[in-house]
Amino acid sequence: MAAELNARRDVVIIGAGPAGLAAALYLARYCRDILVLHDGKSRALRIPLTHNAPGFPDGIRGPELIARMTRHAVQYGAAVEEAEVIMIDAVADGFRLRLKDGSTRTSRAVILATGIELNQVDLPHAVHEEAIRAGVLRYCPVCDGYEHLGMRIGVVGCDSNGAAEALFLRQYSDDVTLMPLSHPELSPAQVQELAASGVSVEKGALLALEPGADRIGVRLEGRASLEFDVIYPALGCRPRSVLAEQLGIGLTGAGCVSAACVADSGVPGVFAAGDVVEGLDQISVAMGHGAIAATKAHNWLREQDQDTLQAKA
Ligand SMILES: Cc1cc2nc3c(=O)[nH]c(=O)nc-3n(C[C@H](O)[C@H](O)[C@H](O)COP(=O)(O)OP(=O)(O)OC[C@H]3O[C@@H](n4cnc5c(N)ncnc54)[C@H](O)[C@@H]3O)c2cc1C
């Protein structure tokens, strides 16, 4: 059994979200011996119902999408294991991955599909998750803005991130309010653009969010309580790029890997896919990255095998 666990795979994919599972499906259908490792934290698992995943006109729940994608990849031979990878080393003939339980896995190539973590508003975990399920707390204007046509929309985070989200959401409603977490950090040009676009800007620090079943109360310093149909926190994110760093892959200012890493990370045999890559954080993008990274990894392995054959000839 130990030998089986330690058998060197063609590719280990780290991440079982839309990116990693799409890569797994492609590689399994390229007849590759692959292992998907994940620590159970795909952001897709938190999606109550997505309305912009192509092919699902009635929407699909995130956990169902992940279950279907897992079944699809496993059906063609992908192995999927729940385990956190804490260290990755490039070794002579590939990569050695150390897991949290102290065991190791080895592979010839690696796909990093490790995603991001959101910076969240400060609510007790159960209250926070219930507010997401109820749909009064949303973190993705691109995904969900359409659901809030004509509604009262609040955006938390009075800086350039928040200003950009508020302006984006303004196309869906003429009732958009931008609020600071602690204090406003807007440039005069941003203040002017927000005013010209009809976005209201509050100045008092956020004291409390009070989510309900179909609306959410907001208490701001020095202000009577406000009420919204939905709040979008615009507080940035923390890319899960520590394994990329361990391999010596450079990160962008925001802590992501560059878009080039989908096809070529600069470290031979390492590819990246999904939210951990700079750009639009969406299911469809993550799936597309997964398909590209898988195909690049497969062709890279073929080239290696060709070199080996030629070296032997
Ligand atoms: C509430 C919510 C609603 C959303 N709604 C939509 C929507 O409607 N439409 C849309 O397109 N997008 C939506 N998104 C965004 C979407 O979920 C992401 O874009 C998508 O999940 C990205 O896929 P990914 O595979 O790159 O990352 P993820 O799905 O986040 O998966 C990352 C994977 O990496 C694994 N991992 C990371 N580090 C390690 C490690 N060290 N060891 C082992 N495993 C590791 C995790 O366990 C996980 O399996 C939403 C997100 C949230 C939170």
Side-chain angles (χ1 to χ4, degrees):
M1 182 68 178
E4 195 178 295
L5 283 181
N6 290 322
R8 191 172 64 135
R9 306 281 184 162
D10 288 330
V11 186
V12 165
I13 298 162
I14 308 172
L21 292 171
L25 171 64
Y26 276 67
L27 281 163
R29 288 179 53 86
Y30 296 146
C31 305
R32 290 291 176 187
D33 176 17
I34 56 162
L35 171 65
V36 179
L37 294 170
H38 72 97
D39 64 3
K41 294 184 185 158
S42 165
R43 290 208 303 140
L45 291 171
R46 299 174 71 191
I47 304 176
L49 191 69
T50 172
H51 295 280
N52 71 351
F56 296 98
D58 302 319
I60 183 163
R61 294 183 332 102
E64 190 187 342
L65 178 69
I66 293 300
R68 282 178 180 232
M69 290 188 74
T70 304
R71 180 159 59 86
H72 200 172
V74 168
Q75 180 176 308
Y76 289 102
V80 180
E81 186 183 343
E82 186 161 350
E84 185 183 353
V85 181
I86 56 169
M87 179 73 81
I88 181 165
D89 291 306
V91 291
D93 54 355
F95 300 90
R96 187 174 54 234
L97 299 94
R98 184 169 297 282
L99 309 187
K100 202 174 177 186
D101 66 6
S103 65
T104 57
R105 304 289 181 273
T106 55
S107 65
R108 297 176 65 196
V110 167
I111 295 178
L112 301 170
T114 46
I116 61 170
E117 278 176 314
L118 290 171
N119 293 330
Q120 301 185 163
V121 285
D122 188 17
L123 283 170
H125 179 72
V127 177
H128 188 275
E129 296 308 289
E130 184 49 40
I132 285 189
R133 274 193 295 276
V136 296
L137 188 61
R138 309 274 186 144
Y139 281 89
C140 179
V142 171
C143 315
D144 298 331
Y146 187 87
E147 266 62 58
H148 303 116
L149 281 169
M151 293 189 181
R152 297 166 300 171
I153 301 175
V155 177
V156 173
C158 216
D159 57 9
S160 49
N161 264 349
E165 286 205 8
L167 290 167
F168 178 85
L169 286 161
R170 177 67 183 81
Q171 69 188 303
Y172 298 109
S173 171
D174 55 12
D175 190 346
V176 178
T177 304
L178 181 58
M179 295 162 279
L181 194 60
S182 52
H183 53 85
E185 298 168 34
L186 298 170
S187 68
Q190 286 163 341
V191 171
Q192 208 176 1
E193 192 183 359
L194 288 161
S197 305
V199 172
S200 311
V201 179
E202 295 286 343
K203 293 199 171 61
L206 180 68
L207 298 178
L209 289 176
E210 291 158 346
D214 58 0
R215 61 205 62 197
I216 178 163
V218 178
R219 285 198 284 118
L220 296 175
E221 202 171 55
R223 186 80 163 81
S225 285
L226 301 171
E227 195 175 71
F228 296 94
D229 296 304
V230 63
I231 289 287
Y232 283 87
L235 304 175
C237 67
R238 302 179 305 285
R240 299 191 71 185
S241 46
V242 63
L243 298 172
E245 269 189 300
Q246 287 172 8
L247 289 167
I249 297 171
L251 303 183
T252 67
C256 290
V257 304
S258 76
C261 293
V262 177
D264 178 5
S265 71
V267 177
V270 180
F271 307 85
D275 286 359
V276 73
V277 177
E278 66 179 342
L280 187 63
D281 294 340
Q282 288 284 282
I283 292 166
S284 53
V285 176
M287 289 179 177
H289 281 173
I292 296 169
T295 308
K296 290 287 175 183
H298 173 62
N299 285 337
W300 183 81
L301 288 166
R302 288 175 59 224
E303 280 167 25
Q304 301 305 302
D305 292 340
Q306 199 59 39
D307 288 353
T308 311
L309 288 178
Q310 279 168 1
K312 278 186 184 158

